[in-house]
Structure formats: structure tokens, C-alpha cells
Amino acid sequence: MRTTFLKTLVEEAHKNEDIFLITPDLGYAVLEPFAQEFPNRFINAGIAEQNAVSMAAGLALNGKIPYVYSIIPFVTSRPYEQVKVDLAYMNTNVRLIGVGAGFSYGPAGATHHALDDLAIMRTLPNMMVTAPGSLNEAEDIVRYSVKHKGPVYIRLAKKGEPRFDYKTEAGKFSTVIKGEDFALISTSNMLEDAVNIAKSFQNEGKRPLLLSAHTIKPFDKEKIISLLRASMPIITLEEHNIIGGLASAVSEVIAPSGMAAKFLPIAVNDRFSHVIGSQKYIKEHLGLGNLKEKIETFLKQL
């Protein structure tokens, strides 16, 4: 997904000379094509994330469209005050590109895991929050971000994500698989897991609806309401803390609706990872294993 982001940004930068790319000394073997094509629009700010964000705000205030690229904690948590004041409060056209959703950087430990970024970013007024789960979603969101007015956060996975042929509309869920028995809503790098789960249910004669929530803010409230009106069970899948992410966004629609809900949120249960290993290994230890069995248990209880 990192390579897809960069390739798409290079294409857009050929069409728009206002696009800049800033990195706080990260992205080697990924960002070189942009630096080579547009050396005057590529800035390595050094290991100084706060400065990188403020620099981007200054460029945006002068009519440029800067993208700040780093590992997720280093564009969300470390420069949070600058993101809040220089981007969200001032409503500047800066795009934060966070790579390594969830446990993508598993061996690097909890400092490099991304389990709170959706929660942090979606609390900021003016901030658009996106979390593509496939390569086509990443392409579409990057192209959309060039024209969007205001700050945007784009949460990227790392590598090996699938590609589908549907188009992505900002602020609306994408239908990946049609169905009517129950709804699986996935965000970010859980999409491939969700596809495999949905296909497994299909092989058993069931008809799951699979939606990709690639945009967390603005949120597709209308779709959630339509699922509630249809009395369709809802299951959310996210590689994020259960607090503040996709599950919370869905709950914030359900609670004031006054409608009964059959709802199962699947996420990391508000804890740090104290195990080190591959992304798959950590997911299994932090509650994101045996997903189909958990969903089957939930559906049997309805």
C-alpha cells in the first residue's frame, strides 16, 4: 500500500505543481521516486516530526498541498499539538500519511503499533479520517485528497493488501460483497480478513453483506441506519483499540437512533501488546484470531 500511495502521488504531482512531500527522515526505498521526479518539492525535515507538521501548515497557508509521511505514531501522537493547532484548528490543506496500521510493525513493539490513531484523529474538528483497506481504495482516496479542502489523515497498511475493482466514494461505505443475512463492516487492514470470512460463510450457504468503511470521518451514518431498519445484525472488524475507532463510530449512530441493534464489535480490547512477533502472531494474542468462530457464536445467540 505504501508503494501504491507513492505511485499515485507521483501521478498527481505531475498534474499539480502545488503538491509537496515531507518526511521526518523516513520512507527510504519508498519515497525516492518522488524525490527524484520533484527534488524541489520533496523535503526531509529530519527526525523532527513537530517541525515537519508545522512546515506543512506553512506551505498550505501559501497555497501548496503538502503530504507528511511517516509511521503512524509519528504523524499522530508525537506531533499531536501541531496537528491539532496548525492543521485542524487552522483548517489547513495538509495531508497526514500514516503507514503501518495496527500491528503492521509488529516486531518493533508497542511504540510503533497503531491502535489509537483513528480515535485521536476523529476527535479533531475539520479533520477528515480515512483508512483504506485495499490498493484501489488507497488510490482513490489519495486522488480525492488532492482536491479536498481541509486536513486529511490517511491510514495506510504496509504491504500485501488486495485489489478490487469497485470505486471508492469518500464518506460512503463500499460494498465489497453483496448479501442480506448479516453485515460485516471492515476498516483499514482488516479488509482481507473480512473477505476471507465472508467467502467462508458463502461456502456454507449464508449471504453476508461485506462493507468497507474506508472513511471514518465523515461517517456513513445513513448506511448504518438502513442496516438497523432492516434488522440486520452488524459485526465490525478493526485492527484498532475498541475505544474510539470503527466500533465507536457505529455505536454513536446506534445509540441516538432509538432502534434495537444486534451488534458485535471485534477489535483490540483496550490493551497494549507485550508480545513481539509478526502481525499475525500479535493479532492472535490480542483478540483478533478465530474471527469466524466468534461471529458464528454471536449469530447463534440471536
Side-chain angles (χ1 to χ4, degrees), residues 64-295:
K64 308 304 180 184
I65 309 170
Y67 288 71
V68 182
Y69 176 101
S70 190
I71 298 174
I72 286 173
F74 309 120
V75 292
T76 57
S77 300
R78 182 169 289 174
Y80 179 73
E81 182 180 3
Q82 286 72 25
V83 172
K84 178 180 178 180
V85 177
D86 296 349
L87 307 193
Y89 179 74
M90 297 178 68
N91 201 26
T92 50
N93 292 335
V94 176
R95 288 76 179 95
L96 299 174
I97 310 301
V99 65
F103 300 114
S104 296
Y105 285 95
T111 58
H112 285 56
H113 297 163
L115 299 179
D116 58 4
D117 54 309
L118 296 178
I120 291 170
M121 291 293 104
R122 65 188 289 264
T123 62
L124 293 173
N126 297 323
M127 182 68 71
M128 182 178 187
V129 180
T130 66
S134 62
L135 300 184
N136 54 295
E137 289 182 354
E139 289 175 355
D140 291 343
I141 286 171
V142 170
R143 296 191 197 283
Y144 172 84
S145 70
V146 175
K147 300 178 182 179
H148 180 78
K149 299 301 181 184
V152 180
Y153 172 57
I154 303 178
R155 181 194 218 229
L156 298 180
K158 199 174 178 184
K159 58 182 178 180
E161 295 75 32
R163 177 181 292 278
F164 301 102
D165 60 3
Y166 57 81
K167 282 296 182 182
T168 305
E169 182 181 353
K172 298 292 182 182
F173 296 160
S174 291
T175 300
V176 183
I177 296 175
K178 295 182 179 180
E180 56 188 29
D181 289 344
F182 58 92
L184 290 173
I185 308 177
S186 167
T187 191
S188 190
N189 54 334
M190 288 296 289
L191 181 57
E192 187 170 11
D193 293 282
V195 169
N196 292 334
I197 292 167
K199 289 182 177 179
S200 179
F201 275 112
Q202 285 182 324
N203 292 337
E204 298 172 358
K206 299 182 177 64
R207 297 167 295 174
L209 168 67
L210 175 55
L211 302 171
S212 177
H214 48 70
T215 309
I216 302 298
K217 183 183 178 183
F219 196 62
D220 194 352
K221 298 178 181 179
E222 292 79 9
K223 188 62 179 180
I224 299 298
I225 293 297
S226 71
L227 298 176
L228 294 175
R229 286 175 176 160
S231 297
M232 190 177 292
I234 299 171
I235 300 104
T236 56
L237 301 170
E238 59 188 312
E239 199 168 321
H240 185 275
N241 193 316
I242 197 167
I243 300 172
L246 175 61
S248 291
V250 171
S251 298
E252 290 160 16
V253 179
I254 293 173
S257 73
M259 289 185 276
K262 305 165 186 174
F263 179 39
L264 173 66
I266 298 177
V268 177
N269 193 25
D270 194 28
R271 57 184 290 200
F272 289 109
S273 171
H274 295 290
V275 296
I276 301 298
S278 69
Q279 184 176 14
K280 182 176 184 294
Y281 176 79
I282 298 175
K283 284 170 67 174
E284 290 173 351
H285 276 264
L286 271 292
L288 295 179
N290 301 316
L291 298 178
K292 185 170 184 287
E293 290 81 356
K294 292 178 182 178
I295 294 170

